[in-house]
Amino acid sequence: MLPRALSFRPLFLIYAKSLLKELQLGGWAIDDLLGFADDHLVISITKGMLRKAIKMVQEWCREANIKLNPDKSGVMEVTPKGVSPSLELGSKFEGIPVVQEYKYLGITLDDKMNGRRHIEKLFGYVDEYGKKHEGKIDFLKRNLSPLIRNISVDYRVNLWQILVRPLFIPLALLSNFLCKTSSDLIEGRLRKSL
């Protein structure tokens, strides 16, 4: 028997398809709607469209008898370089928190859409106080290094494919938004991780 959370996800995916259809009928292009199981992302260009999307999702949840948790949702404004955001971080827009970064399907999206926050979580970073924060790759290297010394190159490559490579796959979601510098940084880090 499957664990309860796993057994209902495929059913929810089928069920939630109607939400994406409703949003499409409401004026969103299919390219501006992302949905997998209970994780949905709606790209809106104007505050009016954003307000409409939130109301449609809230109404769909009410009709489907699904409790929407606004604190597990987020509105993230992405502005062009040099343009000030119109939404205040930490405030709420139609009851949904306005955030600087948001985790969607394993990737950390930020308001710059350059992939840097996701890379920092993979490889670590130094904060504004000079404190070093370990990334997932460093954690894996530190904890697996005693084991790796005594195994063949084939096994090492297999471990990399199973444990490290999947950490980079979510960056493919950002590939259309990344500048050349960010793309080169990601490619270099991927090579270095092997």
Side-chain angles (χ1 to χ4, degrees), residues 6 11 22 30 49 62 69 75 82 84 88 91 108 114-115 127 138 161-162 164 184:
L6 292 176
L11 293 175
E22 281 185 39
I30 192 71
M49 286 292 282
R62 245 188 317 279
N69 186 346
V75 171
S84 297
E88 184 181 337
S91 67
T108 303
N114 61 12
D127 66 19
D138 293 331
Q161 288 178 332
I162 292 168
V164 177
D184 291 345

Side-chain angles (χ1 to χ4, degrees), residues 116 119 180-190:
R116 192 165 300 279
I119 291 171
K180 175 118 173 72
T181 306
S182 294
S183 295
D184 291 345
L185 175 67
I186 292 166
E187 189 177 324
R189 292 293 177 104
L190 179 61

Side-chain angles (χ1 to χ4, degrees), residues 12 15 18 22 56-69:
F12 188 82
Y15 190 68
S18 66
E22 281 185 39
M56 287 177 77
V57 169
Q58 289 171 335
E59 181 61 30
W60 183 87
C61 287
R62 245 188 317 279
E63 288 174 7
N65 203 22
I66 294 174
K67 184 176 183 215
L68 178 68
N69 186 346

Side-chain angles (χ1 to χ4, degrees), residues 6-35:
L6 292 176
S7 62
F8 290 111
R9 278 201 173 227
L11 293 175
F12 188 82
L13 184 59
I14 293 166
Y15 190 68
K17 196 172 189 178
S18 66
L19 172 60
L20 297 176
K21 277 279 191 224
E22 281 185 39
L23 287 165
Q24 225 179 331
L25 293 172
W28 278 265
I30 192 71
D31 293 343
D32 294 335
L33 302 171
L34 301 170

Side-chain angles (χ1 to χ4, degrees), residues 56-184:
M56 287 177 77
V57 169
Q58 289 171 335
E59 181 61 30
W60 183 87
C61 287
R62 245 188 317 279
E63 288 174 7
N65 203 22
I66 294 174
K67 184 176 183 215
L68 178 68
N69 186 346
D71 293 325
K72 288 190 175 183
S73 304
V75 171
M76 187 178 73
E77 185 176 17
V78 179
T79 58
K81 193 173 186 177
V83 175
S84 297
S86 62
L87 299 173
E88 184 181 337
L89 290 176
S91 67
K92 294 199 176 200
F93 185 86
E94 298 295 321
I96 308 293
V98 177
V99 297
Q100 187 171 9
E101 67 180 48
Y102 191 78
K103 193 169 185 176
Y104 178 71
L105 295 180
I107 187 168
T108 303
L109 302 169
D110 64 17
D111 58 359
K112 305 276 186 284
M113 292 299 282
N114 61 12
R116 192 165 300 279
R117 282 297 292 144
H118 191 77
I119 291 171
E120 288 175 350
K121 290 188 178 198
L122 291 180
F123 290 96
Y125 63 97
V126 178
D127 66 19
E128 64 268 14
Y129 305 109
K131 183 179 177 192
K132 183 168 175 19
H133 297 266
E134 183 179 61
K136 291 179 181 181
I137 304 275
D138 293 331
F139 173 82
L140 288 171
K141 278 195 318 194
R142 182 172 42 80
N143 287 294
L144 291 177
S145 63
L147 302 171
I148 292 175
R149 287 188 201 118
N150 300 320
I151 61 175
S152 71
V153 173
D154 287 341
Y155 280 119
R156 290 180 193 191
V157 170
N158 285 340
L159 277 176
W160 179 83
Q161 288 178 332
I162 292 168
L163 298 173
V164 177
R165 186 172 168 226
L167 298 174
F168 285 88
I169 292 172
L171 289 170
L173 287 172
L174 283 180
S175 61
N176 292 334
F177 301 102
L178 297 177
C179 66
K180 175 118 173 72
T181 306
S182 294
S183 295
D184 291 345

